[in-house]
Amino acid sequence: MKQRMLLAAAAVLWLPLAACMQPHSGAVTGSVQPIADGSATGIGGAVASSEANATVAGSGILERGGNAVDAAVAVGFALAVTYPAAGNLGGGGFMLYRTPSGISFFLDFREIAPTAARADMYLDANGIPDAAASTRGWRAAGVPGSVIGLYQAHQKWGRLPWTDLLKPAIHLAEQGFHITARQADSLNRQHLAFSQDPMAARVMIPSDQRSWSEGDRLVQVELGATLRAIAESGEDAMRKGPIVERTVAASIAGGGVLSAADFANYEPVVRPVHRIEWNGLALLTATPPSSGAVFLHQVLSTLEGQPLAEWGFRDARTIQLIGEATAAAFRDRNRYLGDPAGFDFQWELLLDPAYLAERRRSLRPEHYTPPAADLPAPPIESTETTHFSVVDANGGAVAVTTTLNGSYGAKVMAPDGFFLNNEMDDFAAQPGVANQFGLVQGRYNAIAAGRRPLSSMSPVLVLRDGAVDAVFGSPGGPTILTTVLQVLLNRYVFGLDPQAAVRAPRFHRQDLPPVLRFEAGRLDRHANQALDEWGQPLSRTPSIGDVNAIFRDLEAGEWRAVADPRRSGLGLVLPLRKN
Ligand code: DON
């Protein structure tokens, strides 16, 4: 759990610092647009991801003159090899990209429901959702978007040759890499699940059936060949031909519903970026099917005018108010959001200033508001998604959150060496009934062929005076949203330095179940007592989130790449090099 952060001196100070240090205030407002807001100045580049080899792969691409998108593509493919629980070819994700000239894009390469998917496909004979069916095995998989998404990102915005970006991943798959103690533990915990899938058993269980140990070398021959095919044929390798044919055959044999046409027709979508004006900063956030934009806008607006900075981040009043605001935002998220293709209303209505002003007025400090209905807390099984952040020397910035949903997704491996997602569980298998994260979602997130399930993944870019000031995101299902919120507040309201903003204790409240979860041993004793007295149900959890972030350090005039000390990622900062 050692946090590693390598820093190199940057040669320039890029902004008059005094101008940036002034306190800001002002209302939370937002707009949806392709954004052009002036140029950013660069100092070196930086990469932060959950796995050291992947961060090194991305930094190598930056050093060779690649831009932030090139580096992000290399990190994404490397993670598919070195972090197979979440990095992926068989999943999907979101990319926020801001060009050096200040244009921002949101590329949605999330999985879609197969053509054969039906609203009731996970209901049993009595109409009750079968949680195992939407989380385990081929039937739980949506049509993957990662390879096609990364390919199209490179086509639109990349600079280096495509094949160069795949080289680190191919090397890591074919030559293998030494696993960490954490990775060994992760693989060992899935021994039983892997043993039930012939491919996963072959690749992810040592041939002599023993347990994995720290330092063992994990070689993935089939995955290496698949990456070579992708290097050669680009997205076509995942649209048609032998890899798709074998994947579809395995899916059919395993009771899944993926078809060759699903792979051939998958398309990523460039969606609007939602810009939130807050605290003198601009936040660039992801719009539906991400719930990031709506959630952050609502919560920041609800908290406006509260003396949080005065109270501090450990204070019970701060925690309770944030919890009340996030519970209210989750109510709207779960009820109204989903794939915008299914909306019969403008989701921007959820950001109506009068609507949010009313919520602000009804916020009651030192008070617990119970939800309208209650539910037992579900077991929360998965903590595996992954976020990585990249900035380049010219000020380009990329935030990617990508996932298989559950740890190793549906826990089935395609014959070509990659795990399939279980993203179908992010739909409401039955509106009104909780999914694996305890999210009780509505009809706008019902299963329909070709639709994307609602997501909590929330990559964020922060601009200060028109330049990128922070890039971050996190895994954690619904806790992604509260984690991202807390990092924002820690840095920009409580004034914590980059490392402390990521390290600070986290908590989470999502409406249903009405519990405020906090990291065990990290809630202040007085706060615990006060929250308890106010009637707030509390529960402990080992840890929340895994934020891989890049911040601009105004005083030093340098990037700070921070890998969350909760896990074992790596942040690297490169010296100045203008491309
Ligand atoms: O898109 C979502 O909201 C989920 N599939 C994310 C899953 C996740 O973060 C798993 N745990 N870390």
Side-chain angles (χ1 to χ4, degrees):
M1 298 270 282
K2 189 166 65 111
Q3 179 172 13
R4 281 171 287 178
M5 200 173 75
L6 303 184
L7 298 172
V12 289
L13 281 177
W14 62 283
L15 274 175
L17 296 182
C20 311
M21 301 300 282
Q22 282 164 12
H24 295 286
S25 63
V28 178
T29 56
S31 60
V32 176
Q33 55 192 311
I35 292 164
D37 48 23
S39 74
T41 311
I43 42 168
V47 183
S49 90
S50 287
E51 201 280 324
N53 290 292
T55 294
V56 169
S59 317
I61 293 294
L62 289 180
E63 265 165 1
R64 296 189 37 221
N67 65 14
V69 170
D70 292 323
V73 169
V75 173
F77 281 113
L79 286 170
V81 179
T82 60
Y83 192 7
N88 66 82
L89 304 184
F94 296 147
M95 174 186 285
L96 273 187
Y97 172 47
R98 184 171 188 262
T99 67
S101 59
I103 320 259
S104 298
F105 300 94
F106 166 32
L107 183 71
D108 166 0
F109 54 94
R110 187 157 170 79
E111 301 89 331
I112 58 175
T115 315
R118 295 289 173 264
D120 61 357
M121 67 187 282
Y122 301 115
L123 303 185
D124 67 16
N126 301 316
I128 311 288
D130 175 357
S134 62
T135 54
R136 286 293 280 273
W138 284 92
R139 202 171 165 75
V143 184
S146 289
V147 173
I148 300 175
L150 293 178
Y151 181 78
Q152 293 198 8
H154 174 259
Q155 289 285 106
K156 291 178 207 300
W157 306 304
R159 173 194 281 173
L160 291 188
W162 170 250
T163 49
D164 290 8
L165 312 182
L166 272 294
K167 279 182 187 156
I170 292 169
H171 182 84
L172 288 161
E174 291 180 345
Q175 304 304 313
F177 65 99
H178 296 289
I179 62 173
T180 62
R182 171 181 284 276
Q183 285 163 334
D185 184 51
S186 163
L187 292 166
N188 290 335
R189 267 186 283 124
Q190 301 294 339
H191 189 103
L192 182 61
F194 292 157
S195 68
Q196 289 163 7
D197 179 82
M199 260 314 282
R202 187 140 73 77
V203 180
M204 293 295 169
I205 297 178
S207 49
D208 54 5
Q209 293 294 309
R210 65 175 173 82
S211 300
W212 292 100
S213 305
E214 179 179 7
D216 284 349
R217 183 180 283 269
L218 176 61
V219 177
Q220 299 170 78
V221 177
E222 293 84 358
L223 182 58
T226 300
L227 290 163
R228 280 190 185 276
I230 294 168
E232 196 167 305
S233 314
E235 65 176 15
D236 278 353
M238 270 291 178
R239 285 200 182 281
K240 57 189 182 194
I243 295 173
V244 171
E245 285 159 19
R246 285 189 286 263
T247 305
V248 169
S251 172
I252 293 168
V257 295
L258 296 169
S259 71
D262 287 331
F263 285 86
N265 297 331
Y266 179 88
E267 285 304 335
V269 182
V270 178
R271 298 191 184 275
V273 176
H274 179 66
R275 177 178 167 122
I276 305 171
E277 304 296 338
W278 172 70
N279 204 19
L281 305 159
L283 314 181
L284 305 182
T285 59
T287 54
S290 166
S291 43
V294 169
F295 179 89
L296 288 173
H297 189 131
Q298 283 202 348
V299 174
L300 293 172
S301 177
T302 306
L303 293 172
E304 211 183 303
Q306 297 292 344
L308 301 186
E310 197 180 297
W311 293 338
F313 67 95
R314 293 181 188 278
D315 192 284
R317 292 166 295 184
T318 300
I319 294 169
Q320 188 59 26
L321 274 192
I322 294 173
E324 292 277 311
T326 61
F330 265 105
R331 268 196 291 285
D332 279 356
R333 174 208 185 274
N334 297 345
R335 184 161 181 194
Y336 295 115
L337 294 183
D339 186 325
F343 292 167
D344 51 12
F345 64 96
Q346 299 277 315
W347 60 263
E348 291 89 336
L349 285 174
L350 296 169
L351 309 178
D352 176 65
Y355 175 61
L356 295 179
E358 181 47 40
R359 185 173 295 179
R360 199 155 50 236
R361 270 193 298 278
S362 59
L363 195 63
R364 292 175 60 190
E366 305 186 20
H367 175 85
Y368 161 66
T369 311
D374 201 350
L375 280 178
I380 299 204
E381 186 240 352
S382 165
T383 53
E384 300 294 1
T385 287
T386 192
H387 177 88
F388 52 95
S389 300
V390 182
V391 293
D392 65 31
N394 295 317
V398 173
V400 174
T401 312
T402 181
T403 191
L404 291 164
N405 195 21
S407 200
Y408 304 91
K411 304 188 203 311
V412 287
M413 187 180 263
D416 291 273
F418 55 90
F419 281 105
L420 270 294
N421 69 84
N422 60 354
E423 219 70 50
M424 293 297 284
D425 190 63
D426 273 350
F427 283 112
Q430 188 179 56
V433 176
N435 74 353
Q436 67 163 321
F437 300 114
L439 292 170
V440 182
Q441 305 172 105
R443 67 186 171 98
Y444 295 107
N445 193 28
I447 301 171
R451 293 264 168 85
R452 284 150 157 90
L454 177 60
S455 176
S456 299
M457 291 190 293
S458 185
V460 176
L461 301 177
V462 180
L463 307 183
R464 189 197 286 269
D465 299 329
V468 173
D469 201 67
V471 186
F472 58 93
S474 176
T479 69
I480 292 171
L481 294 164
T482 43
T483 295
V484 164
L485 170 74
Q486 286 168 86
V487 172
L488 265 179
L489 297 173
N490 289 344
R491 178 75 178 131
Y492 297 108
V493 172
F494 303 119
L496 302 189
D497 68 41
Q499 274 177 285
V502 171
R503 195 178 52 230
R506 296 188 189 131
F507 58 89
H508 173 77
R509 189 173 154 202
Q510 64 179 42
D511 186 39
L512 290 173
V515 177
L516 189 139
R517 275 193 276 153
F518 61 91
E519 293 181 309
R522 303 197 73 200
L523 180 63
D524 178 87
R525 194 163 47 84
H526 301 293
N528 194 332
Q529 204 177 339
L531 290 163
D532 208 31
E533 278 165 15
W534 297 334
Q536 170 67 64
L538 296 167
S539 80
R540 288 179 181 73
T541 191
S543 89
I544 296 177
D546 178 26
V547 173
N548 295 300
I550 299 170
F551 295 95
R552 193 180 289 278
D553 182 327
L554 291 175
E555 278 170 38
E558 295 172 348
W559 296 117
R560 296 270 185 258
V562 183
D564 202 316
R566 289 164 181 79
R567 304 223 189 149
S568 44
L570 174 68
L572 277 177
V573 176
L574 302 157
L576 176 67
R577 176 199 159 116
K578 280 267 184 187
N579 297 309

